[in-house]
Amino acid sequence: MKKKNIAILGSTGSVGTQALEVIKAFPELLEVSVLTASANADLLIAQAQEFKPKAVVIVCEDKYTQVKNALKSLEITVLSGEKGLEEVVQYDEIDMVLNAIVGSAGLRPTVKAIERKKDIALANKETLVVAGALMMDLVRQYDVAMLPVDSEHSAIFQCLVGEHANPLEKIYLTASGGPFRGKDRDFLTTVTKQQALKHPNWVMGAKITIDSASLMNKGLEVIEAKWLFDLDVEQIDVIVHPQSIIHSLVQFQDGSMKAQMGLPDMKLPIQNALTYPHRQPNSLERFDFMNYASLTFEEADKDTFRNLELAYQSIKDGGDRPCVLNAANEVAVAAFLADEISFLGMSDLIEATMCQQKKVANPSLEDLLAIDSETRVVARSLVK
């Protein structure tokens, strides 16, 4: 296997730091070419000093001088701002871009990377939630691979290897249920952010952890799956699987099913994306059936966790609706974490914002970026 040069966008976040651990475990196969961070200059500097990439980007321009001075003794190009992100993904030596940026800032760099025929390892939900049709058109046009890093989409992808001639009937995305599985709306009226940030199975950043608690994370995954696997939304179901051992399932037209299983560890789907199509040996803990007396499944409660239903509705409505949903949700999560709205108030805010924004049926990328900004303004005004 030829060594791959990797650009990690969002190297200081949860996925980015775990990706660096994976790369460190396979020095003969993987090498870091680019590291980027939004504002965590200290960790970016430490990562650059250890991995010595060709370039780093600190998006927060106020911290450019700090990073530049810290790395001046090394032959590392230091860039800043969103333009810096767009520039580094186009470097000739890069084979794959791991997009682990949180938010819509991940869209433009993904487009630039695809246009330069870089394969994409995708952990940035907004790329497909906001602009799924446009992105997949580009993937086909430039004949690049879009490899999912989310554990659920990675599971579906792995189940489909070798099955290109066999149409899917349905897929099942599994959800842990988060910290509030089985709770009713009365209980959810008083939950705190401290409670919502305690995920039972995964260690993630604050935003994605709140999304998991509200089931919005699963709703966004439904939208991503629609585009990644070219499905109708009716072919995508969500089932709650508290043990998080089965990461998702596919069902073929003959009724047979495949599932991808394993202990919950993000390093495995990250490794799968970075080293595909080869599976490499690793030291990750192995699943033991004897430690699990049973694996259980429940129907997802869309009535209590309305974010999931709102996500389904957005993809049915089409056009810019998933973009509006996503932008409104980001504002809602930030407001909840700032104690400005309640847990259930997040769904109310998202729905109210979607009602206020007029639908755009066939938006361009520029349209979507403008709609994203406009939606945030509307949502923030509703918080106030």
Side-chain angles (χ1 to χ4, degrees), residues 177-180 196-197 199 208-216 305 343:
F180 306 133
L197 287 168
H199 193 279
I208 193 171
T209 304
I210 299 301
D211 280 347
S212 180
S214 72
L215 290 195
M216 178 58 89
F305 297 91
F343 185 82

Side-chain angles (χ1 to χ4, degrees), residues 1-4 22 26 28-30 96 147 157-158 161 267-282:
M1 176 179 166
K2 173 184 173 289
K3 181 180 279 193
K4 288 183 185 176
V22 171
F26 300 101
E28 73 285 0
L29 300 177
L30 304 170
M96 173 176 280
L147 299 164
F157 180 85
Q158 292 178 61
V161 171
K267 293 191 193 71
L268 190 54
I270 292 169
Q271 177 184 319
N272 187 271
L274 296 185
T275 64
Y276 181 81
H278 304 286
R279 292 187 183 274
Q280 301 296 334
N282 60 40

